[in-house]
Amino acid sequence: MKAPRNDTSEMKKINFTKMAASGNDFVVCRFAGLPVSQLKNLAVKMCDRKYGVGADGLLVLEKSKTAAVRMRIFNADGSEAEMCGNGARCVASYSARGHRLEKKISIETKAGIIESEVLGDNVRIRLTGPKDYREDVLIEVNGRRIKADFINTGVPHAIVFVEGLEGIDATYIGRQIRSHKEFAPCGTNVNFVEVIDDSNIKVRTYERGVEDETLACGTGSVASAIILSQKSKVKSQKKKINVLTRGGEILKVYFDNDNGRISNVWLEGKVKTVYKGEWNV
């Protein structure tokens, strides 16, 4: 009689790095050739916080014909996103430190080419230009009318200005706005913003794809800062806005606002490598 086959020996191992950027955490892997369906399934399993590595998303790095590296973003629910600000900052740090690339590299995303610069523990990226700005969108949530602004900073974001940010049920209300017909068919991320002053805001974000509140959101911080500037009476100037995230870290957003035309958008914050490991497929 043949001995039973040891399935464990047949398993394929994937090397990964767990990284965190200002409260967002990611699993970063460098491989290519897997079909999208397998990548989506892998994201769901690896991002699971009880039976997997645990993360907001899976970042898959591939070769690029137009940039130093191509980044594909798979959310914790398996959906693929066009862009992730804090994810791109992790990829820049991962590439510069782990693979000896230049500290200034370009990253290909579905939203366009992202420029990055690693400055020690701080990493900053230059995003593609924002688009699809809509001001004062009136929506009804549970019988209550809410005024939101909308902008796409690589992915769609709804911005709701509030007072008493800590008392907001960001998960419950965010879920209602995220799938509201006003933002169909793709849905939207939802940011609740409390203004401290013209240069400082606090933000809590419900993320599409994670389907929960996260400790930070890079593109959401950028969207919130830009909308604040658009609503300001003084628009023709260079702007720097500090964003206090749910996780307690501060993200810095820089951009030019030339009478309402936004350009040269940068996002900066801390990045750390948590640990490295192997995943059995």
Side-chain angles (χ1 to χ4, degrees):
M1 177 182 288
K2 292 183 179 180
R5 189 164 120 189
N6 186 350
D7 289 335
T8 303
S9 64
E10 301 294 326
M11 288 182 177
K12 180 181 177 181
K13 293 182 179 180
I14 293 176
N15 294 318
F16 71 86
T17 300
K18 174 71 180 287
M19 303 190 74
S22 304
N24 275 143
D25 58 345
F26 304 94
V27 177
V28 185
C29 300
R30 179 179 287 275
F31 51 79
L34 291 180
V36 173
S37 59
Q38 190 169 345
L39 290 174
K40 291 182 175 182
N41 185 55
L42 189 64
V44 171
K45 290 182 177 180
M46 293 188 79
C47 293
D48 189 286
R49 295 194 182 276
K50 293 188 180 294
Y51 297 102
V53 179
D56 291 330
L58 169 67
L59 307 177
V60 179
L61 305 189
E62 301 175 345
K63 290 183 179 180
S64 171
K65 294 181 179 180
T66 58
V69 66
R70 181 189 183 200
M71 174 181 74
R72 299 185 68 181
I73 309 114
F74 293 90
N75 295 313
D77 68 353
S79 60
E80 186 170 6
E82 300 89 344
M83 169 58 187
C84 177
N86 284 335
R89 295 195 304 107
C90 283
V91 168
S93 178
Y94 174 93
S95 299
R97 300 181 187 200
H99 296 272
R100 298 181 180 178
L101 293 179
E102 297 294 330
K103 292 189 176 182
K104 293 183 179 182
I105 67 168
S106 57
I107 302 169
E108 178 188 352
T109 74
K110 282 193 168 186
I113 302 295
I114 305 301
E115 302 295 331
S116 69
E117 183 177 8
V118 178
L119 307 165
D121 290 336
N122 276 349
V123 179
R124 65 181 199 143
I125 57 169
R126 183 179 181 180
L127 286 74
T128 54
K131 59 183 181 180
D132 302 333
Y133 175 50
R134 287 191 286 157
E135 187 176 11
D136 296 338
V137 180
L138 289 176
I139 57 177
E140 187 171 313
V141 176
N142 295 331
R144 179 184 175 187
R145 298 188 78 187
I146 295 176
K147 184 185 294 184
D149 299 281
F150 179 86
I151 196 168
N152 188 312
T153 52
V155 288
H157 283 278
I159 312 297
V160 181
F161 289 94
V162 301
E163 294 181 358
L165 182 64
E166 297 305 316
I168 298 294
D169 190 340
T171 298
Y172 178 76
I173 302 174
R175 186 174 293 126
Q176 311 306 311
I177 299 174
R178 176 257 187 269
S179 56
H180 194 278
K181 62 182 181 180
E182 188 66 41
F183 308 112
C186 297
T188 184
N189 299 281
V190 185
N191 304 273
F192 300 95
V193 181
E194 184 170 0
V195 178
I196 301 172
D197 55 42
D198 289 345
S199 300
N200 296 275
I201 57 176
K202 295 191 292 184
V203 177
R204 293 175 62 185
T205 303
Y206 180 92
E207 284 203 51
R208 181 188 65 165
V210 180
E211 304 308 334
D212 203 350
E213 181 181 8
T214 57
L215 294 181
C217 177
T219 54
S221 295
V222 170
S224 301
I226 289 174
I227 294 297
L228 175 67
S229 178
Q230 292 290 56
K231 287 181 170 293
S232 171
K233 294 180 179 179
V234 182
K235 294 183 178 180
S236 184
Q237 59 181 319
K238 292 183 178 295
K239 296 290 290 185
K240 174 190 172 184
I241 295 179
N242 299 313
V243 181
L244 177 61
T245 66
R246 180 65 167 171
E249 291 194 36
I250 293 177
L251 285 168
K252 299 177 182 179
V253 181
Y254 309 85
F255 56 92
D256 296 335
N257 188 340
D258 184 7
N259 292 314
R261 179 174 294 181
I262 304 297
S263 63
N264 198 28
V265 181
W266 288 85
L267 170 70
E268 180 180 337
K270 292 186 178 299
V271 172
K272 66 179 292 185
T273 297
V274 182
Y275 62 85
K276 298 180 180 181
E278 293 179 341
W279 179 268
N280 292 323
V281 179

